[in-house]
Amino acid sequence: MIDAAHTARPERLRLGMVGGGRDAFIGAVHRIAARIDDQYELVAGCFSSNPEKALASATDLGVARAYTSFAEMASREARRRDGIDAVAIVTPNHMHAPVALQFLKRGIHVICDKPLTATLAEAKKLAKAAEAAGVPFVESTVSICGLDEVAAAT
């Protein structure tokens, strides 16, 4: 017999995204992968370094918690009772490390598009921040089914 316990789906992880707004290719790929797996709900984002584009992208995506600064997003989401569980970083490569550091310092799990950093020194700094916070910091190569996204945040 199938009852409610067998059909109830688990609560989705609250996902934030930095980068990936209007006209950005890889952000859409990450969002598609997350939707296919049905493990995430995109609830917050700073989708562009351009404030107008960031807000417009959030509107396009139906994301209510829109930010115009990734530092502000990290700070505010960390203080929310319903803050994000993980952030997907899909910015241009040179921004991966500074964005990741803001979220790691606040104890938020980080899923970062490749490459993680541009230098070994940045990688070591991020590894220390992740260890100090006790949270995962993982590189994500989006597969067709998005399993990398799910494995990273669970």
Side-chain angles (χ1 to χ4, degrees), residues 23-38:
D23 305 320
F25 170 75
I26 201 64
V29 173
H30 281 261
R31 289 188 297 272
I32 290 167
R35 280 195 307 267
I36 289 170
D37 284 324
D38 200 28

Side-chain angles (χ1 to χ4, degrees), residues 62-138:
V63 176
R65 294 195 320 248
Y67 298 94
T68 58
S69 155
F70 67 83
E72 175 193 11
M73 178 180 165
S75 176
R76 290 181 59 191
E77 288 296 318
R79 291 192 313 258
R80 291 180 67 102
R81 179 168 280 178
D82 64 344
I84 59 175
D85 297 307
V87 63
I89 300 173
V90 295
T91 61
N93 295 348
H94 73 282
M95 290 301 297
H96 290 179
V99 174
L101 190 58
Q102 289 295 317
F103 287 89
L104 290 171
K105 288 189 330 190
R106 290 168 176 82
I108 295 172
H109 298 207
V110 172
I111 304 163
C112 187
D113 198 24
K114 62 181 182 61
L116 290 178
T117 69
T119 68
L120 180 58
E122 286 178 335
K124 287 180 177 182
K125 186 175 183 177
L126 291 173
K128 282 184 180 182
E131 186 177 337
V135 298
F137 173 52
V138 298

Side-chain angles (χ1 to χ4, degrees), residues 13-61:
L13 296 168
R14 293 178 305 272
L15 180 66
M17 183 171 280
V18 177
R22 283 185 176 178
D23 305 320
F25 170 75
I26 201 64
V29 173
H30 281 261
R31 289 188 297 272
I32 290 167
R35 280 195 307 267
I36 289 170
D37 284 324
D38 200 28
Q39 299 295 311
Y40 291 98
E41 178 181 0
L42 183 60
V43 298
C46 177
F47 298 104
S48 176
S49 58
N50 174 298
E52 293 80 21
K53 195 172 188 179
L55 296 175
S57 296
T59 299
D60 293 347
L61 296 167

